[in-house]
């Protein structure tokens, strides 16, 4: 099971990857939205902001997210690390229910380039 530190490191690497992206991915990552990522097996939530192609983690909270962020993710820590490392395909994980992504319809349309 991935640790809190490994999950935080994975989010930092994801942010770095988004910042280096080109084309459609860069456009999708350019959203300005609040973000939460609930790590189900650790029962923690990282909250932050997606802006200018980067994810800024602002806080780590115990339990599920208290406030509803614009973009909400939920998964296990191992799945987060595996996705960032390229060992787990996000679209397949989302389709199978291993990863939950909730956002407004317009945001989902823009985020599809990341999938």
């Amino acid at each position: 099971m991935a640790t809190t530190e490994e999950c935080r490191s994975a989010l930092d690497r994801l942010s770095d990857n988004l910042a280096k992206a080109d084309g459609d991915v860069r456009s999708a990552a350019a959203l300005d939205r609040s973000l939460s990522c609930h790590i189900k097996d650790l029962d923690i939530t990282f909250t932050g902001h997606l802006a200018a192609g980067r994810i800024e983690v602002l806080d780590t909270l115990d339990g599920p997210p208290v406030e509803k962020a614009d973009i909400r993710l939920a998964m296990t820590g191992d799945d987060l690390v595996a996705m960032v490392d390229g060992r787990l395909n996000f679209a397949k994980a989302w389709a199978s229910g291993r990863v939950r992504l909730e956002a407004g319809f317009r945001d989902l349309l823009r985020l599809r380039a990341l999938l």
Side-chain angles (χ1 to χ4, degrees):
M1 180 168 68
T3 66
T4 300
E5 293 78 23
E6 290 170 324
C7 292
R8 174 60 194 257
S9 177
L11 287 172
D12 290 342
R13 288 192 321 272
L14 177 58
S15 180
D16 291 343
N17 293 345
L18 291 175
K20 295 180 216 171
D22 295 334
D24 290 342
V25 173
R26 185 165 191 79
S27 174
L31 292 169
D32 184 6
R33 301 288 189 268
S34 61
L35 177 73
S36 69
C37 182
H38 183 232
I39 307 300
K40 298 185 293 187
D41 54 335
L42 298 175
D43 198 26
I44 60 168
T45 299
F46 295 98
T47 62
H49 207 82
L50 173 64
R54 294 201 63 89
I55 297 170
E56 179 185 8
V57 176
L58 301 173
D59 206 356
T60 306
L61 310 169
D62 290 328
V66 177
E67 295 181 20
K68 186 176 177 181
D70 297 321
I71 300 170
R72 300 166 304 281
L73 292 162
M75 66 196 79
T76 66
D78 288 341
D79 285 345
L80 172 62
V81 172
M83 279 191 309
V84 173
D85 289 345
R87 295 179 283 120
L88 178 64
N89 179 279
F90 181 87
K92 288 181 182 178
W94 185 34
S96 70
R98 287 176 68 176
V99 173
R100 194 177 77 223
L101 169 65
E102 297 176 7
F105 183 71
R106 292 175 74 186
D107 289 341
L108 285 173
L109 289 176
R110 291 204 50 200
L111 289 169
R112 75 179 189 270
L114 298 175
L115 311 179

